[in-house]
C-alpha cells in the first residue's frame, strides 16, 4: 500500500548524504514545504547546507533534524546497498533510515496533513534542518541558532526527530541531554635511559596515582532527571616504542558526560585541584562540546506525552541519557526542547533499519503535536 512517509524516506535514503554533504535531501524537503506555503530560507555556512522554513506568525513550534548520515562501514556486510532502500519483514533498511531520514519524512508528511486540515492554523510552524549533525557540526544548527538569535526570533517549542525510542516508537523521549567536555592532558617528565632512572623522571609513574584517583572519583550523584556524571579515559599515549627509553611525556584524553548538578567550570577546577595535589607538571586543554540542558514539564512535554498515549497507549519515559544532540544549541534560545523519534537499536550500524509502521505512527504523533500546540 502506498504510504507517503515511507516513499519520502526512501527518496531521502537514495541520496548518499555523508556528513556534511546533503546530496540533494534538502532540495526534496524544501520543495515539499514550499508547496504548502512555507517561506524557505537557506542558511548555508562553509561546507554545510542548512535551511529555516516557517509558515504563519506568532508562537513557534519548530521541527529540527539533520539530513547527513554516518559512513556505511564495510559495504559488503549490508544485505542491500546502504543507499538503496529496501523493505523486508516490515523494516525499512538503509543508511539513515532510523537516524534520521525516517523522522524527516514523518515530519514533512505530518506538516502536509496538518496544513491541509488547518490552512489557517494559529502560531508559526517551522523547520530547522542541517546537513552536519554527525560530523563537526560547526556550520550546522549552532550557526542557524546564532543567526536566529541575532535577529531576535523566538522559538517557544522545538521537537527534534532524533531516534529516542528503545523498543516501540514513543516509549522514550529525551527532555534534556547531559553536557560533554573533553580534557587533553599532557604530563611532563624527563626522558632518559631505563638503566639510569635517577637521571630521568618517568611521567607514567608520576601520573598513575592521579589517574587512579580520577577514575575512582564520584563527581556527583545525578538528580531526578540526570544519571550521575561519568568520566571516561578514552586515550592514553606514552613511550617511544623502545624498551630502554623512559618516555618524556604522557598524554591522556578523558571525557565527562555531566549532569546539571555540575558546571563545566566546576569540573575544570576539580581536575586541576586533583592534578596539583599530585604535584604533577602538566599542560591541560579543555574542549567543551555541549552544556547540559533540561526541559521540565510544560506545554511541549504535555503535548508529546498526549500524542504518544493517543497512538501507542504507552506512557513515555522522560530521559536525558545518550549522546549529545543539536537540541543543546536550540535550548540556548530559551526554547522548550524534546526529542521524539524512532527506535535507535540499529543507528550507526551495518544494516540500519526502522519499522515502517513506526514511521507512520510517528508521523501521526507529530501531526497531533502540531494540532495541540497550533490550533
Ligand atoms: Zn541523528
Amino acid at each position: 500500500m502506498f504510504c507517503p512517509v515511507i516513499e519520502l524516506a526512501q527518496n531521502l535514503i537514495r541520496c548518499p548524504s555523508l556528513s556534511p554533504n546533503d546530496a540533494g535531501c534538502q532540495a526534496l524537503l524544501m520543495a515539499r514545504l514550499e508547496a504548502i506555503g512555507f517561506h524557505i530560507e537557506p542558511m548555508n555556512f562553509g561546507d554545510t547546507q542548512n535551511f529555516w522554513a516557517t509558515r504563519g506568525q506568532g508562537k513557534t513550534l519548530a521541527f529540527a533534524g539533520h539530513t547527513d548520515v554516518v559512513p556505511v562501514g564495510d559495504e559488503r556486510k549490508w544485505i542491500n546497498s546502504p543507499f538503496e532502500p529496501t523493505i523486508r519483514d516490515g523494516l525499512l533498511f538503509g543508511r539513515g533510515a532510523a537516524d534520521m531520514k525516517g523522522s524527516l519524512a514523518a515530519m514533512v508528511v505530518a506538516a502536509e496533513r496538518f496544513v491541509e486540515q488547518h490552512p489557517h492554523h494559529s502560531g508559526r510552524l517551522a523547520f530547522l534542518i542541517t546537513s552536519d549533525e554527525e560530523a563537526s557540526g560547526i556550520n550546522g544548527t549552532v550557526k542557524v541558532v546564532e543567526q536566529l538569535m541575532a535577529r531576535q526570533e523566538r522559538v517557544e517549542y522545538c521537537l527534534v526527530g532524533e531516534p529516542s525510542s528503545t523498543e516501540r516508537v514513543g516509549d522514550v523521549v529525551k527532555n534534556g541531554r547531559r553536557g560533554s567536555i573533553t580534557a587533553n592532558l599532557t604530563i611532563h617528565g624527563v626522558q632518559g635511559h631505563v638503566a639510569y632512572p635517577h637521571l630521568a623522571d618517568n611521567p607514567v609513574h608520576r601520573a598513575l596515582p592521579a589517574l587512579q584517583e580520577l577514575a575512582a572519583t564520584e563527581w556527583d550523584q545525578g538528580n531526578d532527571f540526570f544519571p550521575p556524571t561519568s568520566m571516561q579515559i578514552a586515550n592514553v599515549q606514552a613511550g617511544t616504542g623502545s624498551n630502554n627509553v623512559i618516555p618524556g611525556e604522557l598524554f591522556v584524553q578523558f571525557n565527562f558526560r555531566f549532569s546539571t548538578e555540575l558546571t563545566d567550570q566546576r569540573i575544570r577546577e576539580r581536575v586541576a585541584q586533583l592534578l596539583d595535589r599530585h604535584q604533577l607538571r602538566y599542560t591541560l586543554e579543555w574542549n567543551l562540546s555541549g552544556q547540559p540542558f533540561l526541559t521540565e514539564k510544560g506545554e511541549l512535554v504535555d503535548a508529546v506525552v498526549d500524542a504518544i498515549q493517543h497512538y501507542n497507549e504507552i506512557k513515555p519515559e522522560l530521559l536525558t541519557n545518550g549522546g549529545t544532540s543539536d537540541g543543546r544549541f536550540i535550548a540556548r534560545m530559551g526554547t522548550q526542547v524534546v526529542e521524539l523519534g524512532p527506535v535507535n537499536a540499529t543507528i550507526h550500524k551495518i544494516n540500519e533499519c526502522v519499522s515502517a509502521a513506526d514511521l507512520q505512527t510517528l508521523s501521526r504523533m507529530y501531526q497531533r503535536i502540531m494540532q495541540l500546540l497550533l490550533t
Side-chain angles (χ1 to χ4, degrees):
M1 200 185 76
F2 174 77
C3 167
V5 177
I6 304 306
E7 194 211 22
L8 180 54
Q10 289 175 316
N11 288 338
L12 292 170
I13 291 168
R14 283 191 190 99
C15 308
S17 53
L18 294 166
S19 318
N21 186 3
D22 170 70
C25 294
Q26 291 183 17
L28 286 175
L29 301 175
M30 289 190 285
R32 296 281 284 256
L33 293 172
E34 193 158 31
I36 52 169
F38 275 79
H39 171 75
I40 313 279
E41 193 180 344
M43 286 198 195
N44 302 332
F45 298 98
D47 56 6
T48 304
Q49 269 180 260
N50 311 290
F51 75 84
W52 171 244
T54 59
R55 188 183 195 280
Q57 299 290 332
K59 222 171 202 193
T60 302
L61 166 62
F63 280 75
H66 60 89
T67 53
D68 59 314
V69 296
V70 295
V72 299
D74 185 350
E75 192 161 349
R76 291 165 305 180
K77 292 192 178 148
W78 286 71
I79 38 176
N80 286 94
S81 169
F83 298 114
E84 191 40 62
T86 341
I87 298 179
R88 291 168 183 246
D89 303 326
L91 296 171
L92 171 63
F93 285 85
R95 175 54 88 222
D99 185 10
M100 55 170 284
K101 291 177 172 180
S103 319
L104 294 176
M107 291 173 182
V108 168
V109 171
E112 289 172 343
R113 290 170 173 156
F114 172 71
V115 164
E116 190 176 358
Q117 274 187 352
H118 304 279
H120 306 291
H121 60 83
S122 65
R124 183 167 74 148
L125 184 57
F127 280 78
L128 193 176
I129 306 295
T130 180
S131 70
D132 188 4
E133 191 274 341
E134 301 284 12
S136 77
I138 48 176
N139 287 314
T141 301
V142 64
K143 287 271 171 67
V144 176
V145 165
E146 281 168 12
Q147 192 102 341
L148 296 178
M149 285 172 81
R151 62 192 203 203
Q152 332 262 304
E153 293 238 19
R154 285 187 54 81
V155 175
E156 279 76 9
Y157 315 113
C158 179
L159 208 114
V160 184
E162 289 292 350
S164 62
S165 303
T166 304
E167 280 165 26
R168 293 177 65 190
V169 61
D171 59 359
V172 174
V173 303
K174 301 279 169 77
N175 64 325
R177 289 284 189 159
R178 292 180 292 182
S180 173
I181 187 169
T182 298
N184 293 303
L185 171 67
T186 305
I187 311 277
H188 304 289
V190 176
Q191 184 174 324
H193 195 300
V194 295
Y196 301 92
H198 56 289
L199 299 178
D201 179 12
N202 193 326
V204 180
H205 294 192
R206 282 200 177 276
L208 283 175
L211 297 182
Q212 166 60 30
E213 187 180 335
L214 200 62
T217 297
E218 180 185 82
W219 301 93
D220 62 29
Q221 299 185 322
N223 55 32
D224 286 352
F225 297 97
F226 287 88
T229 293
S230 123
M231 188 286 305
Q232 293 295 319
I233 295 177
N235 288 289
V236 178
Q237 284 149 17
T240 62
S242 170
N243 70 349
N244 62 11
V245 179
I246 292 170
E249 288 187 339
L250 167 70
F251 172 77
V252 186
Q253 184 182 58
F254 47 98
N255 175 270
F256 288 85
R257 295 300 161 109
F258 61 102
S259 78
T260 46
E261 294 295 298
L262 278 180
T263 61
D264 69 283
Q265 193 51 40
R266 191 73 196 106
I267 289 172
R268 292 172 208 246
E269 287 165 10
R270 284 176 65 180
V271 170
Q273 282 163 8
L274 188 156
L275 297 173
D276 291 341
R277 206 165 52 242
H278 286 269
Q279 299 183 323
L280 298 170
R281 281 195 299 127
Y282 62 91
T283 312
L284 180 56
E285 279 163 17
W286 290 98
N287 182 9
L288 174 69
S289 39
Q291 295 284 1
F293 74 91
L294 178 68
T295 296
E296 294 195 54
K297 288 225 181 304
E299 301 94 337
L300 181 59
V301 170
D302 291 348
V304 169
V305 171
D306 174 298
I308 292 168
Q309 285 180 324
H310 185 85
Y311 286 105
N312 248 355
E313 295 171 354
I314 44 174
K315 190 162 169 55
E317 264 191 286
L318 299 172
L319 296 180
T320 58
N321 59 2
T324 60
S325 89
D326 277 358
R328 70 190 191 272
F329 301 124
I330 299 161
R332 283 186 202 163
M333 302 175 78
T335 305
Q336 296 178 32
V337 179
V338 171
E339 296 174 25
L340 166 62
V343 172
N344 56 26
T346 62
I347 60 172
H348 296 205
K349 293 186 180 174
I350 303 272
N351 294 321
E352 177 178 348
C353 62
V354 66
S355 153
D358 275 1
L359 285 189
Q360 295 169 59
T361 306
L362 183 65
S363 186
R364 294 295 178 189
M365 289 174 179
Y366 288 160
Q367 187 184 345
R368 188 170 171 90
I369 294 163
M370 293 172 189
Q371 262 154 26
L372 290 167
L373 295 173
L374 298 181
T375 60

